Amino acid sequence: MTNNGDSPARVRFAPSPTGHLHLGGLRTALFDWLWARKTNGQFVLRIEDTDRKRFDPESLESLKNGLRWLGLEWDEGPEIGGPFGPYVQSQRQEIYREHAQELIDRGHAYRCYCTPERLASMREEQRRAGKSTGYDRHCRFLSDEEKRQRESEGAKSVIRLAVPLEGVTVFNDLLRGDIEVENRQLQDDVLLKADGLPTYHLAAMVDDKLMEITHVLRGEEWLATAPIHKLIVDAIGWEMPVLVHLPVILDPSGKGKMSKRKKLVAGKEFLALVHEFQDSGYLPDAMFNFLTNVGWNFDPEQEVFSREEAIERFSLEEINPSAAALPYEKLDWLNGLYIRELTPSALKSALLPFLSRQLGVSETDLISDRKLDVLIPVIQERIKRLDEAAGWIDWAYQDSDAISYPGPKLLIGRKLDAAQSVDMLRSGAQLLTEVEPFSAKAIHVAFREKAEELGVKAGSFFGPVRGAISGKKVSPPLFESIEALGRQETLQRIKHAVAYLEAHGATESG
RNA sequence: GCCCCCAUCGUCUAGAGGACUAGGACUCAGGCCUUUCAAGCCUGCAACAGGGGUUCGAAUCCCCUUGGGGGUACCA
């Protein structure tokens, strides 16, 4: 029964388009994809749009974008088709209806005429009586006479599964083994709704069979309904696919299932939706690496690995059945690692949309901007997310007179007073008017020599200049920054800083 | 309430009866390096939920308790 990885598996990711894809869903898809690739099988994308009330047309794009972003191309499904289509459940209504009818014919299902109102009041009564809620099977034992009566009245009906009144249902979960549930704990769940559309229970079982799915990977929230699925499959006379219930992903707080809402934990905002991670500048490769190691472990001694390595080693049996919270800090660390491994030009193109948006400069202007070529290599090891780059270099995109100093202190070197700092700035300016070529390297050498000549520490000398050109106390390495800015602009800023210090610095000292 | 699942450092995890003085990673702390900030390197803090069994021997197997999670819809 267990597929150990040699025979090609057919797995499916079957999201319902009711909202944006979140990381839990993406992780399920990732494991699906990994298993399909590992076994040289197929990864099928199926859209479970049987809930007309919650349907959100935009979410379909979000879903597909998320999968593609991570590099999880599907072998069959929407847009590309395949031999088992259609892959959208709303286009398969007739198939479900036939199977529901077959179930009725065989005595495993029945029509229920109960109104939503009756069901609601029934539940209300059950609750009041302190009993557990559940359908009371009112219509299951209707006489033929009564049924004819309802039909002639034109009463709306649903089709419910006739769960055996006694006995136990046993199903197998690959990670947890056999699980037994007493049938009296089960409900006569609805299979076909009044609008003619199936519920998940029916639709998923029918499609998994018809699409020849061998392994079902799904969230643990489905574990409780697995007996129902086993009953349905048994009733039709089919075999169950291998079931693998993936552990739920918890909120960063470790409390409760991760929701699609942003959560504030310890004052920090945590992301949950795939597009949010995309917009924050997480790299697909980093996310792939990260997600693969939640619920499964590549190698306890090796945190970083490629997709190919992951495919090679992945196995279903090794999946950890216990729920896990996402280690966000580890994601940031990994993302920084992947950013550092990029070539400067690859990083530049990855950065373009972020910089353009945050700096207000068009992408085409940025592509030809020489400043970026100098600055990107030096901020590469300083950012963990792509959206952090702008904060490191925004000063280079402001006009010199737009640079505002928060106070004289920024321009005063360590262990120096304002007057001495002015001297430092002037020395620097003098150096910069003469240095040739105007490159980080040459500037560095000149500044070093000057610091020695003046008998001051490098930090005392460089600090005021850094403040002068960037308006910040923390900035990218000084000499690359100066090179990026260019001689004229740098001198301009130093001049401004000197003027500022002379006007405001009299009373201050370092 | 009832049913089901789960349980190793703060977090992600390794561990499938003796190789465990419980390993790795992130975070955090300290140090080195250093023009700020990073990156890098080194060191350190930190866990088998509790109680009973089984066994010569238990983080590993069984039971109970506790804790956490999921389900309890004409949602998926």
Side-chain angles (χ1 to χ4, degrees), chain A residues 10 41-45 74-88 92 95 207 209-213:
Chain A
R10 286 181 57 80
Q42 289 84 38
F43 173 49
V44 179
L45 176 60
W74 52 99
D75 304 307
E76 296 172 25
E79 291 182 21
I80 59 173
F84 299 93
Y87 294 90
V88 177
R92 301 169 64 82
I95 298 172
D207 286 346
K209 173 63 186 183
L210 265 28
M211 295 180 181
E212 297 179 13
I213 299 302

Side-chain angles (χ1 to χ4, degrees), chain A residues 334-407:
Chain A
L334 256 180
N335 203 54
L337 214 70
Y338 275 88
I339 285 177
R340 276 170 252 137
E341 281 176 4
L342 255 27
T343 62
S345 75
L347 178 55
K348 182 176 177 177
S349 35
L351 243 24
L352 250 26
F354 290 87
L355 260 18
S356 174
R357 192 176 67 226
Q358 293 172 285
L359 259 22
V361 181
S362 76
E363 289 199 26
T364 46
D365 284 352
L366 286 173
I367 288 171
S368 54
D369 179 18
R370 210 187 62 85
K371 290 200 289 286
L372 276 187
D373 297 323
V374 180
L375 257 13
I376 282 180
V378 296
I379 63 167
Q380 184 160 19
E381 65 195 33
R382 273 157 250 267
I383 57 174
K384 287 187 156 68
R385 297 187 324 214
L386 264 19
D387 68 352
E388 291 166 357
W392 278 97
I393 60 171
D394 52 359
W395 51 269
Y397 292 85
Q398 294 170 335
D399 289 334
S400 59
D401 46 325
I403 298 284
S404 64
Y405 304 113

Side-chain angles (χ1 to χ4, degrees), chain A residues 132-150:
Chain A
S132 51
T133 56
Y135 181 55
D136 58 6
R137 293 177 168 137
H138 176 264
C139 293
R140 181 160 173 176
F141 305 106
L142 250 34
S143 66
D144 290 346
E145 174 74 19
E146 288 168 311
K147 283 181 202 165
R148 266 195 299 279
Q149 167 86 21
R150 299 292 162 92

Side-chain angles (χ1 to χ4, degrees), chain A residues 16 19 26 51 72 74 157 161 167 178 185 250 254 292 325 408 422 438 470 476 485 489 495:
Chain A
S16 82
L26 189 64
D51 185 345
L72 310 181
W74 52 99
S157 65
L161 179 69
D178 282 347
Q185 300 293 345
L250 268 19
T292 299
V422 166
F438 200 78
S470 69
L485 225 40
E489 179 65 21
K495 210 171 118 188

Side-chain angles (χ1 to χ4, degrees), chain A residues 447 461-463 465-467 469 475-483:
Chain A
F447 268 71
F461 185 22
F462 302 170
V465 180
R466 178 189 305 284
I469 68 163
S475 79
L478 223 211
F479 309 112
E480 281 80 1
S481 299
I482 291 174
E483 182 190 330

Side-chain angles (χ1 to χ4, degrees), chain A residues 94-300:
Chain A
E94 202 43 49
I95 298 172
Y96 310 121
R97 218 167 300 173
E98 283 166 14
H99 283 87
Q101 187 57 51
E102 188 188 334
L103 251 13
I104 291 181
D105 295 344
R106 297 211 205 169
H108 292 300
Y110 61 93
R111 284 199 178 276
C112 167
Y113 304 91
C114 295
T115 61
E117 293 71 36
R118 186 185 108 71
L119 296 175
S121 67
M122 174 201 72
R123 266 191 288 272
E124 182 52 36
E125 257 175 59
Q126 290 168 333
R127 249 190 296 274
R128 237 200 316 271
K131 290 195 283 198
S132 51
T133 56
Y135 181 55
D136 58 6
R137 293 177 168 137
H138 176 264
C139 293
R140 181 160 173 176
F141 305 106
L142 250 34
S143 66
D144 290 346
E145 174 74 19
E146 288 168 311
K147 283 181 202 165
R148 266 195 299 279
Q149 167 86 21
R150 299 292 162 92
E151 290 290 343
S152 67
E153 286 166 356
K156 289 212 171 224
S157 65
V158 301
I159 295 177
R160 285 180 185 273
L161 179 69
V163 171
L165 273 7
E166 294 177 341
V168 297
T169 293
V170 184
F171 69 96
N172 185 271
D173 174 272
L174 185 65
L175 310 178
R176 294 161 252 257
D178 282 347
I179 295 171
E180 281 186 29
V181 178
E182 292 184 65
N183 290 146
R184 58 187 179 80
Q185 300 293 345
L186 270 20
Q187 303 292 322
D188 282 4
D189 284 319
V190 172
L191 263 20
L192 205 71
K193 298 180 270 192
D195 62 7
L197 284 162
T199 58
Y200 172 92
H201 306 311
L202 211 221
M205 294 312 106
V206 167
D207 286 346
D208 286 343
K209 173 63 186 183
L210 265 28
M211 295 180 181
E212 297 179 13
I213 299 302
T214 60
H215 295 71
V216 170
L217 278 64
R218 42 145 64 158
E220 194 184 350
E221 62 268 26
W222 292 109
L223 198 58
T225 45
I228 292 293
H229 303 152
K230 176 71 160 58
L231 253 15
I232 293 171
V233 166
D234 283 353
I236 306 181
W238 291 336
E239 294 280 310
M240 284 291 274
V242 175
L243 246 33
V244 184
H245 289 95
L246 268 21
V248 291
I249 288 183
L250 268 19
D251 250 350
S253 63
K255 283 200 142 300
K257 192 167 73 162
M258 189 176 69
S259 70
K260 296 185 178 185
R261 290 254 66 87
K262 283 199 195 68
K263 259 288 192 54
L264 235 53
V265 175
K268 270 190 75 178
E269 194 178 67
F270 287 89
L271 308 179
L273 304 178
V274 176
H275 71 85
E276 294 171 337
F277 286 90
Q278 234 170 315
D279 293 345
S280 303
Y282 287 96
L283 265 22
D285 285 345
M287 182 59 86
F288 183 101
N289 195 143
F290 170 73
L291 238 32
T292 299
N293 252 353
V294 177
W296 182 71
N297 189 251
F298 176 79
D299 181 340

Side-chain angles (χ1 to χ4, degrees), chain A residues 57-100:
Chain A
E58 278 175 33
S59 64
L60 200 64
E61 281 313 305
S62 166
L63 233 34
K64 293 187 286 196
N65 283 343
L67 295 179
R68 290 200 170 113
W69 176 67
L70 203 67
L72 310 181
E73 296 290 337
W74 52 99
D75 304 307
E76 296 172 25
E79 291 182 21
I80 59 173
F84 299 93
Y87 294 90
V88 177
Q89 289 186 330
S90 57
Q91 295 167 20
R92 301 169 64 82
Q93 292 190 48
E94 202 43 49
I95 298 172
Y96 310 121
R97 218 167 300 173
E98 283 166 14
H99 283 87

